[in-house]
Amino acid sequence: PLHSTEKHGNIIFAVHWPWCGIPDVLSMNVVEPYEPVQHHWFYNQQVDSKDSWQPFSREDSRRLEDAYSRVGKCEKDEVVVATDGRRYDVRLRERKCYSVYWEQKPAEVKRCAWFHKGSKDMSYTPYSEELSDILEDAYMIAVTLDEWKQNLELPTGETVILHNPKVFSECKDFPPSPTERTQPRTLKRGIENIPVEIPEVDHLVFMVHGIGPACDIRLRGIVQCVNEFRIASNSLIKSHFRQSENLCIIGRVEYLPVNWHKVLHGESTGVDKDIERITLPSISRLRQFSNDTVLDLFFYNSAMYCQTMVDTVASEINRLHSLFLQRHPHFTGHVSLVGHSLGSLILFDLLTNQETDADGKPHEVCSSAIILHEDAHVDTGCSSYESLEEVLKGHGLEEYLSVLHSEQVDMESLMLCSEKDLKDVGIPLGPRKKIMNCVKKWKHSRTGSGHAAQNETHSPSLGMRNAHEHQTPTTSAVDYQHFDVGIGQVSIDYPQLAFHPQALFAMGSPIGMFLTVRGLKRIDPNYSFPTCKSFYNIFHPFDPVAYRIEPMILPQDVDLLPMLIPHHKGRKRMHLELKEGLTRVSSDLLGSLRMVWQSISQVPSPALAEGGISSMTPTDEVEVPPMEQKERNFTKVGMLNRGRRIDFVLQETPIESFNEYLFAIQSHLCYWGSEDTALLVLREIYGNIPKKRHLH
């Protein structure tokens, strides 16, 4: 023959014989060699009670794969890898992912290479690691031998067909049943388009929820709502701060949830059992909802439970802050606070009652009792005032000094004791009541006019009244004190935060209402938080729980509209611009008709006509939209936000504008998913960092 062809494996040799006058030629047609699949790590996430497998970032998956290679060498030791911005820890041997900062059911973790998707599925689902290994071995053999369209029976009963290196399918019944046609599932090998890595944190934000266990209209908890806010924030950084992010000028903001409702309604307080005994059996679901939510407002006005709520919020924030610093030892950024509804009031009271040392640093967090008030910041340390011996001897109770000394009780620790504690150490009822009354009087003497007056020059008060105007004695069992500003706040021990916050963002906040109900008519324009520089009051226009702050600072004759928060896609929503345009046109038309009527009804005279035009009042003019107001329209809005604006109002959506009452409840719960709110927080956090400009 002229030439012969032989096939050996995946290589075809064509040999030409030399005596035919044809030069020697050796040609090869090489099939693309097999390359192992790149594994990627996924975690299971519950979405509407359904499993949803989400990929780790490329950097997290690489570190998990590196740790996986070490697991084979270590037979006993568990390998833990921090993932998702160090919010979660993955235990490789256990194949579980655990949350670090909050309680959450551990999620399943997989090392994935092969995926399947049905005709009605929206996304691919990974196979188990065992099935992925079986599929990969079959793929390797098919590529090596160049043999395709082979049927592979899986241990689960499905049949997989490898059509070619790019197309795979799976059928449950093979061959398909003639009576029932089944749609084959599509298979996929490997994965692409995975985010490279998560940027480093340069700002930390603690988010405190309001009343009840649910935070939004979908009845989700604080963890899920904060996750949604974090996702919106990360998306806005990529769209509005892309240049700064690419240049590594900014990183990302970490949002951590602070849950106080679980502690308040837990077994430690027993409040739920006490309320349940006195709850009527009728309309049980409505009463249960009221007990879980509305009663939180009353608890905050209770001396006992207010202390529990404040202690829980402060201790949880300090715990999370300490844990965060352990996991991010190189963090040098700032910390801010976000509160929703009642949570914003708790944070406001906490920041009002923070103390600073002479160098401006916060006091170290300790267990000593510190009684703090809206105006006077008083340290009740025993070294500065009378001792326990002097107080008890002055009231004829010196015989109980030995009992208290045996328990190592001094004046500071006595202030932390309850009546039950004194009963447990063997002090009888009569002396016990006297000692508790002594402690109460000692507290009152510490918050008298002398010490408050000394602090007036150092820390401006919330109110405008003098410290001597209100010194109302209290005789009730619950100590409701009217301090120098007369706000009627419950006397509790305010704990100290371990850091100076950069800003407080209040969402849907009743702070203004609570301050007014406490008796505070006006906030001193010179007042600012002792340890926090900025304060923002964010609210939806239809939110029934939200109240303004600026009218309590500005003079009564100044009517300043709240600042309109721009839409995250730019300027105003279309329906608001249309409404504003119609208002402006109707106002101009009404003004023109008034001028025509005046010219007809009055004697034509140049003087009268001129006077009629010039006598138009300011109310006849078109109102300037709040977002277009100039700096000349207002001066300085107090020092709570360093002279800047405090009240910021969101823009309602077109459907919300049809009926304010229908969307009232929803508007109070809209902040967690509001991109406009998240963008305002980012802009105030990052200040004047260049942002991406929108084209309109």
Side-chain angles (χ1 to χ4, degrees):
L2 181 64
H3 64 275
S4 63
T5 303
E6 296 184 8
K7 181 177 180 181
H8 297 276
N10 60 343
I11 302 178
I12 299 177
F13 296 91
V15 181
H16 298 266
W17 302 106
W19 56 80
C20 298
I22 304 175
D24 295 341
V25 177
L26 182 63
S27 61
M28 297 184 179
N29 183 16
V30 181
V31 177
E32 185 175 339
Y34 165 77
E35 293 184 2
V37 67
Q38 296 294 323
H39 290 81
H40 198 90
W41 290 78
F42 280 67
Y43 63 93
N44 187 289
Q45 186 178 29
Q46 291 289 326
V47 179
D48 297 330
S49 301
K50 296 181 180 179
D51 289 339
S52 175
W53 288 92
Q54 303 295 328
F56 286 99
S57 69
R58 193 184 306 175
E59 179 67 20
D60 284 346
S61 182
R62 183 191 62 79
R63 290 190 290 107
L64 287 169
E65 190 69 15
D66 292 343
Y68 173 79
S69 62
R70 299 195 303 268
V71 170
K73 302 176 182 179
C74 304
E75 298 182 357
K76 297 181 179 180
D77 297 338
E78 176 65 275
V79 177
V80 180
V81 179
T83 61
D84 199 14
R86 302 179 186 175
R87 287 189 296 269
Y88 295 89
D89 282 340
V90 173
R91 301 179 183 177
L92 285 181
R93 286 191 177 278
E94 192 178 350
R95 290 295 196 275
K96 295 288 185 181
C97 182
Y98 291 85
S99 61
V100 175
Y101 297 106
W102 56 81
E103 294 184 7
Q104 182 177 322
K105 184 179 178 181
E108 184 181 355
V109 173
K110 282 184 182 179
R111 181 176 181 260
C112 306
W114 285 78
F115 308 84
H116 62 83
K117 184 178 73 169
S119 58
K120 297 181 180 180
D121 296 335
M122 298 298 295
S123 59
Y124 282 92
T125 301
Y127 280 101
S128 66
E129 296 184 34
E130 293 78 12
L131 292 179
S132 289
D133 292 340
I134 295 175
L135 289 169
E136 185 63 20
D137 291 341
Y139 177 84
M140 179 184 64
I141 294 173
V143 170
T144 304
L145 300 179
D146 195 21
E147 295 179 354
W148 300 97
K149 297 185 179 180
Q150 301 293 326
N151 302 330
L152 174 63
E153 297 288 341
L154 296 179
T156 55
E158 289 88 355
T159 300
V160 173
I161 305 176
L162 305 179
H163 299 279
N164 57 58
K166 300 295 182 181
V167 180
F168 325 105
S169 62
E170 175 194 89
C171 293
K172 291 186 178 180
D173 300 324
F174 190 85
S177 173
T179 59
E180 182 179 355
R181 301 183 62 182
T182 58
Q183 293 289 337
R185 293 193 297 186
T186 304
L187 271 64
K188 183 179 180 181
R189 178 178 180 265
I191 193 171
E192 63 278 341
N193 299 327
I194 299 296
V196 178
E197 60 180 336
I198 300 178
E200 287 295 325
V201 179
D202 57 5
H203 200 98
L204 176 62
V205 176
F206 295 107
M207 307 191 79
V208 182
H209 65 86
I211 62 174
C215 295
D216 66 353
I217 199 67
R218 295 163 59 184
L219 303 180
R220 295 182 301 174
I222 178 66
V223 174
Q224 291 77 13
C225 289
V226 172
N227 287 342
E228 181 178 3
F229 197 91
R230 184 189 302 111
I231 293 173
S233 174
N234 293 337
S235 176
L236 289 169
I237 286 180
K238 295 185 179 300
S239 61
H240 289 70
F241 299 81
R242 181 178 302 173
Q243 182 179 1
S244 299
E245 184 185 34
N246 292 339
L247 296 175
C248 297
I249 299 176
I250 65 173
R252 67 180 177 90
V253 181
E254 180 61 278
Y255 301 90
L256 297 181
V258 178
N259 190 344
W260 54 263
H261 184 271
K262 184 176 181 180
V263 176
L264 177 65
H265 293 266
E267 296 182 356
S268 59
T269 62
V271 62
D272 285 353
K273 293 182 179 179
D274 296 336
I275 294 295
E276 186 67 27
R277 290 187 301 169
I278 59 176
T279 302
L280 299 180
S282 58
I283 53 173
S284 58
R285 292 186 179 180
L286 181 58
R287 295 187 190 278
Q288 184 62 40
F289 171 79
S290 176
N291 292 347
D292 289 340
T293 57
V294 180
L295 283 183
D296 289 343
L297 293 172
F298 297 97
F299 289 149
Y300 193 65
N301 287 322
S302 162
M304 178 183 299
Y305 297 112
C306 179
Q307 185 71 67
T308 300
M309 295 165 71
V310 171
D311 287 345
T312 301
V313 171
S315 62
E316 183 67 4
I317 289 177
N318 287 334
R319 182 188 72 83
L320 293 174
H321 181 257
S322 175
L323 182 58
F324 176 85
L325 293 181
Q326 292 176 15
R327 299 180 68 85
H328 298 79
H330 303 295
F331 175 76
T332 58
H334 295 284
V335 184
S336 293
L337 303 173
V338 173
H340 175 243
S341 189
L342 182 61
S344 64
L345 177 64
I346 297 174
L347 292 176
F348 186 91
D349 288 342
L350 266 175
L351 293 181
T352 300
N353 293 283
Q354 294 298 291
E355 279 194 331
T356 57
D357 295 328
D359 56 356
K361 296 182 180 179
H363 280 312
E364 295 183 359
V365 180
C366 58
S367 59
S368 60
I370 301 177
I371 303 298
L372 303 175
H373 307 296
E374 297 287 339
D375 177 83
H377 305 285
V378 184
D379 184 358
T380 57
C382 306
S383 59
S384 303
Y385 295 89
E386 28 183 8
S387 63
L388 174 65
E389 292 82 0
E390 294 174 338
V391 173
L392 294 183
K393 288 180 180 179
H395 294 80
L397 299 172
E398 60 270 16
E399 60 182 298
Y400 300 103
L401 282 173
S402 58
V403 177
L404 296 177
H405 283 162
S406 63
E407 297 292 334
Q408 298 183 353
V409 176
D410 57 10
M411 199 60 198
E412 280 191 51
S413 55
L414 181 61
M415 292 178 62
L416 296 174
C417 293
S418 64
E419 186 174 348
K420 183 178 182 300
D421 295 328
L422 298 180
K423 181 180 180 180
D424 292 339
V425 298
I427 298 179
L429 177 62
R432 193 164 66 236
K433 291 291 185 181
K434 290 182 179 180
I435 292 176
M436 295 305 297
N437 190 43
C438 268
V439 172
K440 183 191 298 185
K441 290 181 179 180
W442 190 82
K443 290 180 181 180
H444 281 275
S445 67
R446 298 297 310 283
T447 58
S449 59
H451 200 87
Q454 294 175 8
N455 285 274
E456 270 189 351
T457 58
H458 301 287
S459 178
S461 65
L462 279 172
M464 296 295 294
R465 285 171 280 188
N466 188 277
H468 299 278
E469 291 185 10
H470 284 275
Q471 297 178 15
T472 307
T474 57
T475 56
S476 59
V478 180
D479 187 9
Y480 289 88
Q481 293 188 13
H482 290 265
F483 305 131
D484 56 326
V485 293
I487 61 171
Q489 187 178 2
V490 178
S491 175
I492 62 172
D493 301 338
Y494 282 95
Q496 301 296 293
L497 298 178
F499 55 88
H500 281 185
Q502 175 176 307
L504 168 62
F505 299 91
M507 305 186 307
S509 172
I511 292 175
M513 182 269 291
F514 268 82
L515 293 180
T516 303
V517 170
R518 290 171 180 175
L520 184 64
K521 295 183 179 296
R522 190 183 177 202
I523 299 176
D524 190 338
N526 295 322
Y527 176 77
S528 62
F529 293 128
T531 61
C532 183
K533 296 180 180 179
S534 302
F535 173 53
Y536 302 89
N537 185 37
I538 306 169
F539 54 90
H540 190 283
F542 304 156
D543 189 342
V545 180
Y547 290 83
R548 293 193 60 185
I549 296 295
E550 290 176 347
M552 299 186 67
I553 302 174
L554 296 170
Q556 294 184 357
D557 57 344
V558 176
D559 186 13
L560 188 63
L561 294 175
M563 287 291 292
L564 188 67
I565 301 176
H567 191 253
H568 66 280
K569 293 184 178 179
R571 299 200 323 178
K572 287 186 179 180
R573 295 181 183 268
M574 184 177 297
H575 72 286
L576 292 180
E577 290 188 344
L578 180 61
K579 183 190 298 184
E580 180 183 309
L582 293 175
T583 303
R584 184 179 292 111
V585 170
S586 61
S587 178
D588 293 342
L589 181 61
L590 183 62
S592 301
L593 291 176
R594 184 182 293 108
M595 292 174 62
V596 173
W597 174 254
Q598 289 176 349
S599 63
I600 295 176
S601 60
Q602 296 181 5
V603 179
S605 169
L608 289 176
E610 185 178 353
I613 296 175
S614 62
S615 64
M616 293 177 62
T617 61
T619 56
D620 297 327
E621 299 177 359
V622 180
E623 184 180 65
V624 180
M627 71 175 298
E628 299 176 5
Q629 289 179 351
K630 306 298 182 182
E631 289 290 334
R632 59 180 175 83
N633 290 343
F634 62 92
T635 54
K636 194 166 62 172
V637 188
M639 294 305 298
L640 265 177
N641 196 21
R642 295 175 291 179
R644 303 171 59 198
R645 297 297 303 274
I646 296 175
D647 291 337
F648 293 83
V649 59
L650 291 167
Q651 302 179 39
E652 73 271 16
T653 61
I655 191 174
E656 290 173 340
S657 62
F658 284 109
N659 193 317
E660 300 179 3
Y661 296 95
L662 183 62
F663 294 94
I665 300 300
Q666 178 177 327
S667 66
H668 181 60
L669 305 173
C670 73
Y671 306 98
W672 303 105
S674 171
E675 293 174 303
D676 297 348
T677 302
L679 183 57
L680 174 64
V681 172
L682 288 175
R683 282 175 171 167
E684 298 305 323
I685 283 176
Y686 287 129
N688 296 321
I689 293 177
K691 309 170 185 64
K692 176 185 175 183
R693 293 185 178 180
H694 289 281
L695 299 178
H696 305 294

